[in-house]
Amino acid sequence: MTDITGATADTMNNFIGLSAVLTGFATSIIAPTLDPVDIKSEYLPVFTQKITEESKDPTLVTTILQKYAALKAQQLSDQQIGTQMLAPDNGTNFVLACRKLIFMWYSGAWPTIIPATNKDPETTVSDMISAKSYTTGLVWQVMQAHPMGDSNYRYGYWAKAPAALSAYTGHQGGAV
Amino acid sequence: MSAQTNYDVIIVGSGIAGSIMAYQLGMAGKKVLILEAGQEVPVDRSGYMETFFKANAKTPESPYPPTTQNPAVSTAYNPLGLPDPAKENVPRYTVLQIGAWRNPKQCYFDYTPQPEHLKPDSPEAKFAFASSYERIGGGTTWHWLGTSLHLLPNDFELQTQYKQGVDWPGGKQFYQALVPYYEQATNEIGVAGDKEAMDELYRGFNVSPDGVYGANYDYPMPGIVSSLVDQQYEQAVSDMVYDKIKLSVTPTPQGRNSLPGERRQCAGNTNCIPICPIQAKYDATVTLGRALQTGNVDVFYRHVATNVQVDENTKDVVGIDYVTYQTHGGVATGGGTVTAKKYVIAAHAIETPKLLLMSKRNKACPNGVANHSDQVGRNLMDHIMYLAWGLAKDPVYGFREPLSTAGIESLRDGAFRKDRAAYRIEIGNEGWQWAANDPFTTLADFVFGQNNSQLNGDSVNQQGISLRFDPAMPANSSLFGASLVSTLNGIYTRQIRMGYLIEQLPDPENRVELSETLTDNLGLPRPKLTYQVREDYVRNAFVSAKDISTKLFDALGAREYTKAPSAPVFYGDKREVTSNNFEYQGNNFTFYGAGHIVGTYRMGDCRDTSVVNPRQQSWDHSNLFLVGSGVFPTVATGNPTLTLAALAFQAADHVLADLKAS
């Protein structure tokens, strides 16, 4: 089955699974059952397009997702899958694509790495993908807060400690 | 050119000062016209919010038109896509332009050149001005923080008490006369404040509470609930003494709703700057709306005042010329002159002197209107800020509150003030967002193995302490999954920041002039600035701020991450020169702006050394009033908005009295 972006259901499922493993957030947060925001459907085409453009490798995204699917089929733990996905022997572009996927989910923005110079260290700049991606950035969840400018809380809630981290990541006990 | 003549008062500018004037005059039955250069107040703020959410750099100006950054025109030399001010009808100075201050294709201001042969610590070094403003309906209160502190009586007598700067006209008597107007301003803004805490603070400065509020007066709303960040400081500083002064933490009176009312209760969006999404924070559109509801006030948007007409014989102002436009980059669509009995210019401390200086084609005013004293545009000031940041021992859970809910106010006055500038210490609730562009810098560090936050490498702080967040991890770690979550959580929930609002002295060489070469899209000259920090008095406060920060972090049990700035670069490639870095007593410093643009049409009791008299009335033109923080003779030790609002209420009374007399 192919949706309007050309992605198959398997592609999307693998994208969600890989995203959850790499970000450390549960799939229930990455892609909730009821998902009116549906940021995953915005991210998959951005990821595909950007990685294809930057790597000049039209098969790289498919390769990444297939590798994830293969590791998943071996019933490895999230930690084992993540470690293998980010292993240097996958190739520089492969690993960088996975790292950019993490950054995108956390920030809602697409990163560009500015190499170090004699004077300045390596830095990252980024382009915000959309208003929705800004507010769904996982970075606000990992700090147990809310997007700056998009609070769903009520007056004075800040005087108490927030809910446990697990309530934000979807993983019980704060662990993945 | 058409003329409209049925108004009692014309006001240039719809920010808080102009709106208060319009509201007071309109309520008194006077016919008022506001000319606003920028675009109209939107029906709701969702459009501004959308622009903010999408902006790559969440600067104070990022939500507002015209756009401050356009990735579509990004180039290697202009990565954020800053627009060319020459092609905009109402350009303004933005935070993003500070780094491009020597590039007029990106920076609205022209700057005078550096003197030759500067050393890194030369007092004559020139800097970029570090604060910005808006040109839109409602003005810069769209992105004010909301801090609503009264100034201290000694702030009005800096010369008398400490032999520094100048006094305000009348000194402490001026303050006493302002007390009832402070009360009006506090009510208009709807300040939430804890009177008992403020009484205690003022007693520490030997000011009786009645001398601050008026008898039996309290804030209109209870104080905003303090943050967990504040509570950490309260415990830590209670035993501290600095410069022979016992320190304490005081909850900040602030212009945001602690109770539901006409506006919503604060929901802790942590976004007062750039924009409160729910208008829990007061902004001048509130007062502008009240002004319009009187039925006596008109506002013309996209009307840019270009000249103040002065009668050659009477010296009275007889009209304001303007041009109009429809789109930000489009051609001028018309123009005209409006006339009234009295005139008020309330266009901020950069655009007001610009307009007065632009009006030099009047035969009677070859140096510009209201400028017999040659003080128009001079004495430009700001609170120049020192930032210090660190990681608390335990989580304090910032990023959830208003941007700041408390401060250390104890060092706003004291005997030290004969030797160094005073400051207040603002306690930030927004982690390292301002200090280090977090959460994005730390995120990139731990995703890509970088170390721009200093948390993921071999950095040490200025006390030689290792800054790697987790000593068990190798430098330049690239994380994923559970370790990424726990590392980022451990960092973000502990981030703290202090901002020192350092009092700058009036310096006649710090000034706004007209550029001889640069214009905007309407052909109007752009401001040309000269900005220095010449006095050891001010530079000493940076040394003090650095020193006390380290002591405060020690008391908190926190680790300091304040990054020493690079050495100043005054010459060479315009992309390489630094904007705000200087050296002093062997330390490199950088300063930030507080957005407190002050002093360029100062008030005084001598017509040869000030622009307006204590009534905020031009010495030269009796029917012209200048309002806003440009009238402040000194920048003082509190954020200026409450005081400039009080002064606007006072000026409205003076205008009404003059209208009655005439």
Side-chain angles (χ1 to χ4, degrees):
Chain A
M1 193 177 152
T2 305
D3 74 5
I4 52 170
T5 67
T8 65
D10 275 354
T11 304
M12 180 55 88
N13 284 337
N14 289 334
F15 181 72
I16 293 166
L18 175 63
S19 298
V21 164
L22 292 179
T23 59
F25 278 68
T27 52
S28 60
I29 303 291
I30 297 285
T33 311
L34 289 174
D35 193 5
V37 177
D38 195 23
I39 197 68
K40 61 187 186 297
S41 296
E42 196 169 321
Y43 283 168
L44 176 56
V46 168
F47 178 70
T48 306
Q49 185 202 332
K50 291 284 189 185
I51 291 304
T52 305
E53 273 173 21
E54 292 177 7
S55 68
K56 301 186 177 61
D57 177 354
T59 64
L60 182 55
V61 171
T62 307
T63 306
I64 290 169
L65 295 179
Q66 284 176 348
K67 167 126 186 165
Y68 165 76
L71 294 169
K72 180 77 180 165
Q74 296 170 36
Q75 302 197 330
L76 300 177
S77 70
D78 284 1
Q79 184 65 29
Q80 289 167 323
I81 294 173
T83 303
Q84 294 207 28
M85 291 301 294
L86 295 165
D89 58 9
N90 289 315
T92 309
N93 283 341
F94 184 110
V95 175
L96 185 59
C98 291
R99 296 229 154 262
K100 289 193 167 191
L101 179 66
I102 303 175
F103 187 92
M104 176 172 70
W105 274 102
Y106 269 88
S107 69
W110 188 256
T112 302
I113 293 174
I114 310 293
T117 64
N118 291 339
K119 198 164 64 68
D120 297 310
E122 180 183 295
T123 56
T124 303
V125 296
S126 58
D127 270 324
M128 197 53 68
I129 293 165
S130 66
K132 198 163 77 174
S133 73
Y134 169 78
T135 54
T136 51
L138 299 178
V139 76
W140 312 112
Q141 307 302 316
V142 84
M143 62 171 69
Q144 296 164 270
H146 56 69
M148 293 179 84
D150 191 36
S151 164
N152 286 321
Y153 295 92
R154 299 181 70 94
Y155 177 75
Y157 77 95
W158 55 82
K160 290 182 183 158
L165 179 58
S166 57
Y168 295 85
T169 63
H171 286 298
Q172 289 308 310
V176 177
Chain B
M1 302 285 248
S2 60
Q4 303 187 37
T5 57
N6 55 335
Y7 292 103
D8 293 305
V9 181
I10 288 166
I11 299 171
V12 178
S14 69
I16 185 168
S19 292
I20 285 172
M21 294 287 287
Y23 180 31
Q24 295 303 294
L25 296 166
M27 278 206 303
K30 303 304 173 190
K31 295 292 182 191
V32 177
L33 171 63
I34 301 176
L35 296 180
E36 169 54 54
Q39 74 181 57
E40 52 283 348
V41 177
V43 176
D44 66 55
R45 51 189 64 203
S46 59
Y48 286 177
M49 287 306 301
E50 183 86 0
T51 308
F52 161 74
F53 286 145
K54 286 183 186 166
N56 286 330
K58 310 286 190 200
T59 56
E61 312 81 16
S62 58
Y64 307 108
T67 185
T68 59
Q69 45 194 304
N70 179 7
V73 301
S74 162
T75 66
Y77 298 125
N78 185 10
L80 287 163
L82 274 63
D84 182 350
K87 296 177 181 164
E88 293 183 310
N89 289 326
V90 282
R92 84 284 202 199
Y93 189 62
T94 70
V95 165
L96 295 178
Q97 296 174 16
I98 293 172
W101 68 304
R102 291 291 180 189
N103 181 357
K105 288 279 189 197
Q106 296 176 25
C107 180
Y108 173 51
F109 291 166
D110 195 359
Y111 279 98
T112 52
Q114 290 284 16
E116 292 179 5
H117 309 303
L118 289 174
K119 289 188 249 170
D121 62 351
S122 293
E124 296 77 25
K126 294 175 181 175
F127 303 106
F129 193 64
S131 285
S132 66
Y133 57 94
E134 294 303 324
R135 299 176 74 185
I136 48 171
T140 309
T141 47
W142 274 97
H143 62 66
W144 78 310
L145 178 57
T147 302
S148 297
L149 291 157
H150 292 61
L151 299 185
L152 301 172
N154 278 355
D155 285 333
F156 294 78
E157 289 192 342
L158 196 60
Q159 176 57 228
T160 299
Q161 298 290 332
Y162 303 110
K163 304 291 179 240
Q164 297 290 341
V166 293
D167 286 356
W168 292 46
K172 284 179 184 163
Q173 280 82 42
F174 189 94
Y175 183 88
Q176 287 307 319
L178 206 55
V179 165
Y181 296 106
Y182 263 130
E183 186 172 327
Q184 280 184 273
T186 305
N187 277 335
E188 180 63 25
I189 290 169
V191 177
D194 176 348
K195 183 172 179 291
E196 282 183 19
M198 295 310 291
D199 286 354
E200 189 182 328
L201 174 74
Y202 291 118
R203 272 194 298 271
F205 293 124
N206 297 316
V207 182
S208 86
D210 279 1
V212 179
Y213 307 104
N216 305 319
Y217 181 70
D218 196 353
Y219 288 102
M221 287 201 190
I224 295 281
V225 169
S226 60
S227 67
L228 297 177
V229 181
D230 301 337
Q231 292 169 26
Q232 288 261 321
Y233 279 89
E234 280 165 18
Q235 291 162 15
V237 310
S238 58
D239 295 329
M240 275 185 73
V241 172
Y242 193 79
D243 276 348
K244 300 179 183 166
I245 292 169
K246 187 175 181 321
L247 303 189
S248 59
V249 172
T250 305
T252 307
Q254 45 199 301
R256 58 180 52 80
N257 277 20
S258 59
L259 297 172
E262 290 177 35
R263 306 192 316 278
R264 288 173 58 187
Q265 255 178 321
C266 176
N269 273 281
T270 327
N271 212 60
C272 325
I273 303 168
I275 181 168
C276 176
I278 60 170
Q279 208 183 15
K281 181 192 74 180
Y282 168 88
D283 60 63
T285 67
V286 173
T287 302
L288 182 60
R290 289 174 184 157
L292 295 171
Q293 283 166 20
T294 65
N296 291 321
V297 176
D298 292 331
V299 54
F300 291 175
Y301 292 106
R302 303 177 202 243
H303 278 57
V304 183
T306 58
N307 181 51
V308 179
Q309 286 187 18
V310 173
D311 184 282
E312 201 176 333
N313 298 314
T314 66
K315 303 285 194 294
D316 277 349
V317 174
V318 292
I320 306 266
D321 301 334
Y322 62 86
V323 293
T324 58
Y325 66 93
Q326 289 296 318
T327 59
H328 285 291
V331 295
T333 52
T337 303
V338 285
T339 64
K341 296 170 187 150
K342 306 288 176 195
Y343 298 84
V344 177
I345 303 179
H348 222 292
I350 303 284
E351 298 295 327
T352 294
K354 187 185 102 177
L355 174 59
L356 296 172
L357 295 170
M358 272 164 48
S359 304
K360 61 188 174 189
R361 63 176 174 250
N362 285 287
K363 281 184 185 164
C365 310
N367 297 324
V369 163
N371 199 20
H372 152 88
S373 63
D374 189 36
Q375 292 298 305
V376 169
R378 293 187 186 271
N379 305 303
L380 174 66
M381 286 170 274
D382 190 0
H383 288 117
I384 52 180
M385 293 193 68
Y386 177 83
L387 289 193
W389 60 101
L391 279 192
K393 188 173 43 178
D394 300 311
V396 291
Y397 302 110
F399 293 96
R400 304 186 307 143
E401 313 78 353
L403 287 173
S404 177
T405 39
I408 299 171
E409 312 293 339
S410 322
L411 297 168
R412 287 175 56 192
D413 193 32
F416 63 82
R417 224 169 161 187
K418 66 184 190 320
D419 301 316
R420 69 150 172 94
Y423 48 73
R424 63 174 294 257
I425 309 173
E426 177 192 275
I427 296 170
N429 288 326
E430 84 306 354
W432 297 357
Q433 192 242 356
W434 185 7
N437 191 33
D438 253 354
F440 302 109
T441 301
T442 295
L443 171 66
D445 280 358
F446 286 97
V447 173
F448 298 118
Q450 299 167 351
N451 184 36
N452 295 295
S453 65
Q454 308 180 93
L455 290 154
N456 191 26
D458 297 317
S459 311
V460 291
N461 71 9
Q462 299 181 55
Q463 294 82 46
I465 295 168
S466 167
L467 295 180
R468 194 181 307 170
F469 175 67
D470 183 349
M473 276 184 194
N476 299 100
S477 289
S478 303
L479 307 179
F480 77 95
S483 63
L484 180 64
V485 166
S486 62
T487 301
L488 292 178
N489 177 263
I491 292 166
Y492 293 139
T493 57
R494 288 175 170 82
Q495 291 185 337
I496 51 177
R497 179 279 288 176
M498 293 182 281
Y500 293 72
L501 284 74
I502 294 170
E503 174 190 30
Q504 202 174 6
L505 289 176
D507 179 341
E509 295 307 311
N510 284 349
R511 64 188 298 199
V512 180
E513 299 174 275
L514 301 179
S515 173
E516 294 92 359
T517 54
L518 303 178
T519 55
D520 63 23
N521 195 50
L522 295 172
L524 303 175
R526 281 150 57 180
K528 180 174 75 176
L529 267 74
T530 303
Y531 193 59
Q532 302 166 300
V533 184
R534 291 201 289 183
E535 307 85 357
D536 283 352
Y537 182 76
V538 180
R539 292 179 173 221
N540 287 340
F542 278 82
V543 176
S544 169
K546 180 170 186 249
D547 177 56
I548 192 176
S549 294
T550 304
K551 293 182 165 73
L552 284 164
F553 285 126
D554 277 351
L556 285 159
R559 197 186 309 171
E560 180 167 12
Y561 280 77
T562 310
K563 203 172 187 173
S566 60
V569 179
F570 296 131
Y571 307 108
D573 186 327
K574 64 188 176 192
R575 295 190 303 271
E576 304 293 330
V577 295
T578 52
S579 53
N580 302 96
N581 294 14
F582 65 95
E583 184 187 310
Y584 186 61
Q585 294 185 354
N587 299 299
N588 286 330
F589 289 106
T590 193
F591 66 86
Y592 301 79
H596 303 164
I597 312 177
V598 162
T600 53
Y601 40 99
R602 68 173 175 182
M603 175 166 50
D605 44 23
C606 171
R607 71 187 309 271
D608 291 330
T609 57
S610 58
V611 179
V612 295
N613 64 26
R615 306 174 81 235
Q616 300 168 75
Q617 177 186 34
S618 161
W619 288 107
D620 301 347
H621 317 286
S622 64
N623 67 340
L624 175 65
F625 290 77
L626 307 177
V627 296
S629 48
V631 305
F632 288 17
T634 56
V635 70
T637 61
N639 308 41
T641 300
L642 183 74
T643 301
L644 79 86
L647 286 165
F649 276 105
Q650 193 179 38
D653 276 0
H654 293 312
V655 172
L656 283 170
D658 287 5
L659 282 168
K660 195 173 175 188
S662 61

